[in-house]
Amino acid sequence: MTKIQIGQVQFFCMMVLFLFGTAVLLDIGSGAMQDAWLVSLISPLFGGAVFYLYYYLFTKFPDKSLIEYTKIIWGKYLGSIVGLSYIIYFIYIAARVLRDFLEMLVISPYFRTSMTTLGICIMLVLIYAVNLGIEVFSRVAVICFAIMLFSLFVINTMYVIGGYISPENIIPVLSNGLKPIIKEVFPLGITVPYGELITFTMLLPYINNKKKVMKTGLFAIACTGLYLTFNMLMLISVIGPDLIIRSAFPSLTAVSNINIADFIQRLDTLIITLMVILGFVKITIFFFCGVMGINQLFSMKPHLLINYSVGGMILFFSIIIASTYQEHLQEGLDLVPYYLHIPFQIMIPFALLLTLLINEKILKKPYKA
């Protein structure tokens, strides 16, 4: 594990791209209508607290991943069961994210292409990325980050130049009170995307400067939260809160409206390219965590067969996970946050922390990392 080194810049770029992922694609917080931007502004505060929970556990076992120190804290048998559950969770969420991006591609540019064909093509690229290793992938993330910054700058500039911004869409603020905002923040606004940083508990042991992990992580969360707030303000200003709720992919809807002098138009191609990059990064990180978890849980050496097997499972589950996009979206927004995200992102890590503190502070039984 010590042979692999991920720098702070690479770590920052990976985290920001991961957090952007489906958060930019979907309409998280839209239930608060014109106050949806407040959901994006408040959620990172809780997201930072969740990340601190992961970081604290990491400081106790700086050279161990979540799968490894779970067995240390809870013992071989219970720890292995929980570890296996996390592996299944990583694979399942990777399948859900893949389905999100497959739906976007099928709805927009590849409406004549079957979802299975697109899924196979994307999965081959994902498997290739996993085969190259996390260190190579972290370098690619820096390039993807630069592309993302350029794409977002161009798109937002076009909104301004084209005169598509209508500030009146944002008001009145808090017209329905705080209840809709609180409902959107918890649990969905916290668990997606910030709670999904549970994946980085598998990657933190690879960071070369472990003392700066917390500072870099919080900075990435803050930057992401500020931009998602700005992005939601732009979307509400451009297409209005009503259309955000009705649209399957609000960002794509907003960009498709851009037409400056009948010359600059069809920028939806740019947003689709950006979404594919973000999807690639997010799915690959979940993919990596699933593969690493298997290798660590069963004490196996990395093997191509494991990579192809996990990739095949992700693709298979992404296709059969729901019969329609609406069914998939309903499961992802109404069921998954409560029955999967909260237990795996908050409850189990908190229980690990509680067990750790009881044994160390009360029973005086320190763990050996």
Side-chain angles (χ1 to χ4, degrees):
M1 186 171 285
T2 54
K3 294 181 180 179
I4 300 175
Q5 295 291 320
I6 298 175
Q8 293 301 310
V9 173
Q10 297 162 347
F11 171 50
F12 173 80
C13 293
M14 285 173 60
M15 183 174 286
V16 172
L17 290 168
F18 179 83
L19 289 171
F20 269 48
T22 47
V24 175
L25 178 65
L26 301 177
D27 57 343
I28 296 174
S30 63
M33 299 297 288
Q34 67 268 19
D35 294 327
W37 64 276
L38 289 172
V39 176
S40 300
L41 185 63
I42 295 172
S43 296
L45 301 177
F46 296 95
V50 172
F51 181 72
Y52 180 76
L53 170 61
Y54 304 154
Y55 173 75
Y56 186 85
L57 290 170
F58 164 69
T59 59
K60 295 296 181 179
F61 306 96
D63 296 319
K64 304 291 183 181
S65 72
L66 172 67
I67 301 293
E68 293 173 315
Y69 63 67
T70 297
K71 290 196 292 184
I72 296 175
I73 296 174
W74 280 346
K76 179 179 179 181
Y77 297 106
L78 178 58
S80 296
I81 293 173
V82 174
L84 180 61
S85 300
Y86 268 106
I87 294 170
I88 297 172
Y89 173 73
F90 293 144
I91 294 173
Y92 176 74
I93 301 302
R96 295 203 65 87
V97 177
L98 178 59
R99 179 61 178 266
D100 285 330
F101 288 93
L102 288 177
E103 290 285 355
M104 181 198 68
L105 293 174
V106 170
I107 288 175
S108 187
Y110 297 103
F111 58 91
R112 293 183 179 178
T113 307
S114 73
M115 190 177 296
T116 303
T117 302
L118 285 173
I120 292 173
C121 295
I122 293 175
M123 185 50 61
L124 290 175
V125 177
L126 294 172
I127 292 174
Y128 178 71
V130 173
N131 288 344
L132 292 177
I134 188 65
E135 192 169 2
V136 174
F137 174 75
S138 67
R139 299 193 196 107
V140 174
V142 178
I143 300 174
C144 292
F145 183 79
I147 296 173
M148 180 192 72
L149 289 182
F150 173 76
S151 301
L152 294 176
F153 174 77
V154 170
I155 291 169
N156 290 310
T157 301
M158 292 303 106
Y159 286 147
V160 176
I161 294 176
Y164 294 101
I165 299 176
S166 302
E168 61 271 14
N169 289 337
I170 303 173
I171 55 178
V173 179
L174 294 177
S175 59
N176 297 315
L178 290 173
K179 187 176 180 180
I181 297 174
I182 296 173
K183 184 179 179 182
E184 291 294 320
V185 169
F186 185 84
L188 190 60
I190 300 174
T191 57
V192 181
Y194 304 103
E196 292 175 330
L197 289 175
I198 188 69
T199 54
F200 279 79
T201 58
M202 301 292 295
L203 305 180
L204 292 181
Y206 299 109
I207 307 300
N208 58 8
N209 191 343
K210 294 179 173 59
K211 294 181 179 179
K212 294 184 178 180
V213 164
M214 189 62 188
K215 184 184 296 184
T216 304
L218 289 180
F219 184 56
I221 291 172
C223 290
T224 302
L226 289 174
Y227 180 78
L228 290 180
T229 302
F230 171 76
N231 182 67
M232 185 56 72
L233 282 168
M234 294 293 284
L235 290 178
I236 296 172
S237 300
V238 173
I239 62 177
D242 294 331
L243 190 53
I244 287 180
I245 291 180
R246 296 198 304 269
S247 175
F249 304 105
S251 297
L252 191 58
T253 302
V255 171
S256 63
N257 291 331
I258 295 177
N259 184 355
I260 301 176
D262 290 327
F263 178 70
I264 301 178
Q265 52 185 323
R266 299 296 298 172
L267 290 182
D268 48 337
T269 303
L270 185 62
I271 196 71
I272 289 171
T273 303
L274 174 61
M275 293 302 180
V276 168
I277 291 174
L278 294 175
F280 163 74
V281 172
K282 188 157 191 172
I283 300 167
T284 304
I285 289 177
F286 275 111
F287 194 161
F288 266 119
C289 292
V291 170
M292 290 176 187
I294 292 173
N295 292 335
Q296 293 168 4
L297 184 63
F298 299 103
S299 301
M300 299 171 63
K301 293 182 178 181
H303 197 281
L304 292 179
L305 181 61
I306 298 175
N307 298 348
Y308 281 99
S309 299
V310 173
M313 285 189 286
I314 293 173
L315 176 60
F316 176 72
F317 290 140
S318 69
I319 301 298
I320 68 165
I321 211 166
S323 56
T324 64
Y325 180 62
Q326 289 303 319
E327 180 184 338
H328 164 70
L329 199 61
Q330 184 178 7
E331 290 177 0
L333 299 179
D334 297 337
L335 299 178
V336 173
Y338 292 98
Y339 296 103
L340 286 179
H341 287 336
I342 291 179
F344 283 99
Q345 296 175 5
I346 300 175
M347 293 176 64
I348 293 178
F350 184 76
L352 286 169
L353 175 62
L354 197 60
T355 306
L356 185 71
L357 293 177
I358 289 174
N359 284 328
E360 286 190 342
K361 305 296 183 182
I362 299 177
L363 301 180
K364 306 297 182 181
K365 294 180 180 179
Y367 290 97
K368 294 182 180 180

